Amino acid sequence: MRYGFAIDTKRCIGCHTCSTACRIENNLPAGMWWNRALTEGGAEMDTPAGEFPDATMSYLTVACQHCENPACVKVCPVGATYKDPETGVVRQDYDKCIGCRMCMSACPYNGVRSFNWEEPSYVVDFAMGDADVPPHQKHVVEKCTMCWHRLAKGEEPMCVKTCLARARFWGDLDDPESEVAKLVRERSSKQLLADEGTKPSVYYLV
């Protein structure tokens, strides 16, 4: 299997529900985001490019691309960043991570990883999200896990489950009968920095 996403940029409304749901489900520390909704338009969030009547604006949700050929895995000296052989999900082993941040340097997708410089702090005084989420640690690199704890229970990632516009699709890209594979096959799509050779498993339908 090769799990991946298809994101319909024509349907995405930039509501940030996927980003917020990800934060809550994974009990992310204060100030940390694994998934962000970026505005393709003006210099500021939710501003268009150009001038009326020729203004344009769309949204691009960006997280770990769970690459088929991940640069981060190649440079990790301790195997803390690795690709799951059964699903293709690029994972992080917090207990192995030594905080060298080589994975962050090698990854061509800026901002999809975060580093806990200090002991993680939270905006509320109790844990949120799923009880199976691994505890966050100091001096450890973090990123989207594709909600690994949910996949282990046969559930889809929380960002897909909560998408209000039904713009996010997930499944096995190697299964030609899966919804995500059909969308990638039948619709025009793009991948981020495809020329880097990482073969990302996130397709943006255009």
Side-chain angles (χ1 to χ4, degrees), residues 80-140:
T81 300
Y82 65 100
K83 187 171 77 167
D84 181 68
E86 294 184 3
T87 63
V89 176
V90 177
R91 300 186 60 192
Q92 299 278 134
D93 188 327
Y94 298 158
D95 292 329
K96 285 185 177 180
C97 181
I98 58 175
C100 68
R101 290 162 284 145
M102 289 292 291
C103 58
M104 299 180 75
S105 297
C107 177
Y109 306 101
N110 292 336
V112 301
R113 281 175 165 78
S114 301
F115 184 69
N116 289 323
W117 289 98
E118 301 295 339
E119 216 46 69
S121 60
Y122 302 89
V123 294
V124 293
D125 58 2
F126 57 87
M128 297 187 293
D130 198 295
D132 293 329
V133 172
H136 303 278
Q137 302 177 30
K138 180 180 179 180
H139 292 166
V140 162

Side-chain angles (χ1 to χ4, degrees), residues 66-79:
H66 294 282
C67 303
E68 188 176 352
N69 182 33
C72 56
V73 171
K74 296 177 182 178
V75 299
C76 181
V78 294

Side-chain angles (χ1 to χ4, degrees), residues 170-182:
W170 168 88
D172 183 5
L173 292 166
D174 284 346
D175 177 4
E177 296 304 312
S178 70
E179 183 179 29
V180 68
K182 288 179 180 178

